Amino acid sequence: MYAIVEIAGHQFKIEEGRKIYVDQLEAEEGDDVVFEEVLLTDNNGDIKVGTPHVEGVRITAKVLEHVKGDKIIVFKKKRRKGFKKKRGHRQYLSQIQIEKIIVG
């Protein structure tokens, strides 16, 4: 069984027991979180598509840790003008483990 869920504006395909990185959540490490914005579920061929969300489906997950992602380099240049700008950032992420997909 898998589901497509919207977390912090991004869509993820999740399965039970899978670990994923999402944009940083407000929860502390070790806390349980519940996501109710499920867009699609597939239970061995029984597909339910929401309009926009599937009713009665919840995802429970546990926050494992808060980390920083890889460094992203943003480089801007205008040729023949002597203009160069190099900036970068590291995104704050939360690693979560999907515990259960609750249908009904």
Side-chain angles (χ1 to χ4, degrees), residues 5-93:
V5 65
E6 184 175 349
I7 303 172
H10 299 283
Q11 296 178 7
F12 296 95
K13 178 181 176 183
I14 59 168
E15 298 171 354
E16 290 184 7
R18 188 171 171 195
K19 296 177 184 177
I20 60 172
Y21 288 98
V22 298
D23 287 342
Q24 188 170 19
L25 302 173
E26 295 294 324
E28 297 293 325
E29 293 182 6
D31 287 351
D32 291 329
V33 291
V34 177
F35 304 109
E36 295 182 352
E37 295 181 355
V38 179
L39 305 175
L40 178 138
T41 60
D42 182 8
N43 190 359
N44 298 325
D46 180 28
I47 298 174
K48 294 180 183 175
V49 179
T51 55
H53 305 299
V54 179
E55 297 296 326
V57 179
R58 292 186 328 224
I59 310 296
T60 59
K62 184 174 188 175
V63 178
L64 299 178
E65 64 179 342
H66 297 295
V67 295
K68 287 174 91 174
D70 294 334
K71 181 125 180 162
I72 306 283
I73 302 295
V74 180
F75 184 74
K76 297 180 181 181
K77 179 181 178 181
K78 294 185 180 177
R79 61 187 192 153
R80 297 186 303 273
K81 305 294 183 210
F83 173 78
K84 290 190 261 185
K85 185 186 291 187
K86 182 178 177 183
R87 308 261 332 235
H89 74 283
R90 292 179 69 186
Q91 192 73 27
Y92 291 102
L93 303 172

